């Protein structure tokens, strides 16, 4: 029996998007317009990935109800790592998805160029189907070369961020765009250095430590940046070896702070001090991968565009993969 990519949507652009994802993942696409039909397929066939149109809370509720009544929300057929919600709304308007027990991925619909976006997102989905989704190389085009920046001490953070900014300028990103991405990278590195370290009980080790404190980054506290540009997308990953990113805390944090105009990093939320909402508003996408106690890799994506309006309004997503 063929493994399926199940699309639950009646929208043409979603079908085109899903066709490209199916090609990238080598899954057989089966599309139905309603959650009830989708749930029947989920119960009877081998579904590897679900793409579901949940642009309104009513659509999401219909999806959750259909899944609950067909296979159950905690069935082995249901894995939030494999559920990709699709919506035309921005993150602030779909907080019901962030709070859902089924949340794994949120895709903001690209009605203008669904196939182009589907090709890019197909690489993300393909990575999620592997045993572990770590590794920037698999998230960009195959010919893309990945550069690694290793930080020996925390005081090298600014030099690393500046190196990324210079890399982007060399890749023909406009200076304003490069500055936005550099700010995002600054957030990622600060989080990896100061928020990720925890003890055996999950308590933050540096909660009371000033971020101006110079720390050696060696052994378990090692931090790396992986940087790549494939001609369309720049992507930067921050990697730490604590694996302390907590999904529930992260998503609750995102939901709370998204509507705030300004906010500061909260050091009492282990691994969740990333300025995600600001970056997402600015056009960035995120892929969070974390294996508890082993490693966390947070990747931010930005597409190179001709002008800042296109940059800000580009296709984007938030994806999560958690392993325990």
């Amino acid at each position: 029996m063929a493994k399926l990519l199940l699309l639950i949507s009646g929208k043409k652009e979603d079908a085109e998007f899903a066709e490209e994802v199916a090609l990238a993942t080598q899954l057989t696409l089966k599309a139905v317009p309603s959650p009830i039909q989708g749930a029947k397929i989920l119960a009877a066939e081998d579904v590897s990935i679900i793409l579901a149109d949940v642009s309104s809370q009513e659509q999401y509720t219909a999806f959750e109800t259909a899944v609950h009544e067909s296979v159950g929300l905690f069935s082995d057929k249901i894995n939030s790592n494999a559920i990709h919600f699709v919506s035309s709304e921005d993150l602030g308007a779909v907080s019901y998805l962030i709070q859902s027990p089924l949340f794994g991925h949120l895709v903001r619909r690209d009605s203008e160029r669904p196939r182009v976006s589907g090709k890019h997102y197909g690489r993300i989905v393909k990575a999620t189907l592997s045993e572990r989704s770590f590794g920037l190389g698999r998230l960009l085009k195959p010919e893309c070369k990945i550069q690694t920046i290793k930080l020996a001490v925390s005081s090298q953070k600014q030099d690393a961020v500046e190196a990324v900014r210079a890399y982007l300028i060399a890749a023909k990103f406009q200076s304003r765009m490069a500055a936005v991405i550099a700010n995002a990278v600054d957030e990622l590195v600060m989080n990896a250095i100061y928020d990720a370290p925890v003890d055996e009980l999950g308590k933050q080790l540096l909660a009371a430590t000033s971020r101006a404190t110079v720390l050696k980054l060696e052994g378990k506290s090692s931090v790396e940046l992986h940087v790549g540009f494939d001609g369309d997308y720049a992507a930067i990953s921050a990697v730490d070896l604590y694996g302390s990113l907590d999904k529930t805390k992260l998503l609750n944090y995102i939901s709370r702070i998204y509507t705030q105009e300004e906010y500061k990093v909260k050091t009492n939320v282990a691994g969740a001090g990333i300025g995600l909402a600001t970056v997402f508003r600015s056009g960035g996408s995120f892929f969070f991968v974390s294996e508890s106690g082993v490693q966390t890799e947070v990747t931010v994506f930005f597409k190179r565009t001709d002008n800042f309006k296109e940059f800000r309004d580009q296709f984007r997503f938030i994806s999560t993969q958690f392993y325990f």
Side-chain angles (χ1 to χ4, degrees), residues 54 95 118 139 172 207 213 229 231 235 239 245 289 292 294 314 318 320:
V54 287
S95 58
L139 305 179
K172 308 302 182 184
T213 302
F229 175 62
V239 183
L245 191 65
V289 186
S292 182
V294 178
Q314 66 184 270
I318 295 174
T320 66

Side-chain angles (χ1 to χ4, degrees), residues 6 54-56 66 131 150 172 194 219 242 278 281 290 311:
L6 174 61
V54 287
S55 295
S56 69
E131 184 177 352
K150 296 183 178 182
K172 308 302 182 184
Y194 293 98
Y242 280 94
T278 294
R281 284 193 194 104
S290 187
F311 181 79

Side-chain angles (χ1 to χ4, degrees), residues 130-180:
S130 60
E131 184 177 352
R132 290 292 183 270
S133 302
F134 296 107
L136 181 58
R138 68 177 69 192
L139 305 179
L140 295 170
K141 293 177 183 178
E143 66 273 15
C144 179
K145 293 182 179 180
I146 306 301
Q147 299 190 26
T148 299
I149 302 173
K150 296 183 178 182
L151 284 75
V153 293
S154 58
S155 56
Q156 293 176 333
K157 185 264 296 182
Q158 193 55 46
D159 288 340
V161 171
E162 178 57 30
V164 171
R165 192 192 71 81
Y167 176 91
L168 296 167
I169 293 294
K172 308 302 182 184
F173 278 78
Q174 294 178 10
S175 58
R176 185 180 178 188
M177 299 174 190
V180 168

